[in-house]
Amino acid sequence: GILLIVLIFTMLAAERRPEMGMARAVGQRRLQLIQQFISEGAGYALLAGVVGVVIGIAATWILAAVLGSLIGDAFPIHAHVSGRSLIAAYALGVTITFFTVVIASWRISRLNIVAAVRDIPDEHAAKRRIRTLVWAVILLLIGGLLLLTGISSGNAFAFYTGISLVPFGVAILLVWFGISSRLAFSLVGLWLLVIWLLPDNVFSRIFGEYDGGIEMFFLSGIFLVIGTTLLIVQNTTTLLWIVTKFGSLFKNQLGAIKLAVAYPGNARGRTGLAIAMFSLIIFSLVMIATISQNLTAAFLNDDALAGWNVTAQTNPGQPVDDFTDRVASADLPTDSIAQIGTLTSNSGLAVSMQQTAPVQGEPGSYTFYAADQTFVETTNWKFSFRANGYDSDQAVVDALASNQNFAVVDEIAAFGNDFGPPSSLELQGISRGDKTFDPITMQVTNADGNGTTEVTVIGVIDPSRSFLFGMYAAGPDLSAVVGENPTQTYFIKTGSGADSVEVARSIEATVIKDGVRVRSIQAALEDAQSTSSGFLYMIQGFMGLGLIVGLAAVGVISFRSVVERRQQIGMMRALGFQKNMVSSVFLIETAYIVILGVIAGTATGLALARNLLLSDDAGGSDGLKVEFAPPWPLIIMILVGTVVIALLTAWIPSRQASNISPADALRYE
């Protein structure tokens, strides 16, 4: 939105340039010119803010309905709009727009009066200005300070911002000393792409480890778009050379194509803003869509089931003693059931516990399961971290199955939860950089509150086994922890070729009178994943709204271009350009800008998504089984749809341009 506002005001200034020059020639001061544009922009902002508030209210109701359908059972969500929130939202939108208008107005007020009156480009004398040197020093100081702050604190936001700003200061300094600006800023763009697209393990080896959160997504988008835009706008002459080199392929349209490519290259500031606008939107859409699809696939693969297919959970205090016999009597094909394991928990409630060794930890609570031997031996375990003395996953499983109070726990207990409610228990002594740790002794409070039971954590469950959440132990003295009225959860491994959903239905028909809830694990995982996917789809929807705004901007820009370049159109027609060629110039120009933005956004979005998905934080070789697979059908639909709609939006003004007669266009003032 900010880029669009600056772009529109830049075009307004270009259209009114002779008028602005005349006003300055007859005595209008630069401050008055700035105030004139600010007043106009403030009027737009005040009116647009009202429209934005109305649309925002509608979006609130839609958002509440979508979230309610996703998680309404657990967290009832209702739309609510207050007068205070409306005023705050309106004021925030108007303020952002106003400050953007002020900056744009200040920039466009800088003009050469004589050149503006004659409507010719300003002459820029190649001289060294102290102001340029000051800006270079400021960027170097700010970037260097952020860089040092990031290094000392391990903060990723400060480090990445600093290492991205310093090259701008260096480039400005080089240009001040006479180095080609094209070379200097092309290198800056290349540097930004390399830094932000380095694989996580390579970056860590070079620069070290840094901690960051969701703010890095915003920062990466900004700097990657800046980097690609710099590379494109600084090398438009190369693109024009390529077009000329292959001119024979375009035959009669070569003149229109060369003009369509040359004009954006001449107005590099405006071209860069337009490309950056589309690139940023496409980058966000492609990256979110790619991450969503790959994480969904990672959480729903066979590893997530951990070797089981169906669960059956009893009510607290109502065990089914003959559950195995009841399952055998269900209407099921022969060999449908391979194994049945049992977990017993304290009525499904979290259990209080505290770490005592190797270091003291804060008291917390966690879900605790007492497993039988069948569950331990049948489960397809995988551990991302193992205690010292256990050189394989099987060694951990063997110890867990023995008559000792050993336990394993999922990664949330070790490192917290980045994407959900925080865990009240966080084990001390486990580091992501090490794959082993000293065995952790825990004091688990008994169900009656009298005394504790000691367990020793010897393994951390790999996140690829996403269905295994909690702490699992199989020792003989755990009845005190689960209490007298526990909840029993039976895990069923189906035979080869059996349909887990049909098996679950048949078992439920047999034990439903005992209050047992039976579910397919695959279906449960899909339901759970649909909630998180719904949030990502919602974000994609908002990004799509931004894309719609960008496409509408194409129409606005095209209409303004026709007015601004009316005399240029007349000159083309006077030189012999036919109507269809004039129309082609504007259409090709729009396609050129949109396609460059789309390609840049798609390439950077896919590259960054790949790095994130294959990094150690997302899983990599030791975590989730993530295989990078771009959602090509969705991406192609977005890209083709964007280009086609952009061309349709630009078609009307391009036809308008082709219908202008040469005499009227050349007399236009």
Side-chain angles (χ1 to χ4, degrees), residues 210 272 343 367 376 387 403 469 490 565 610:
Y210 295 90
L343 290 181
T367 306
V376 174
N403 292 329
F469 168 83
Y490 299 97
R565 295 157 60 182
R610 181 184 183 278

Side-chain angles (χ1 to χ4, degrees), residues 47 111 133 136 157 171 214 225 286 301 317 324 333 347 355 389 479 511 542 582 594:
L47 294 175
L111 53 84
L133 188 61
F157 188 89
I214 193 65
V225 167
V286 169
N301 59 28
T324 301
S347 302
Q355 177 177 340
S479 57
V511 298
F542 280 109
V582 174
V594 173

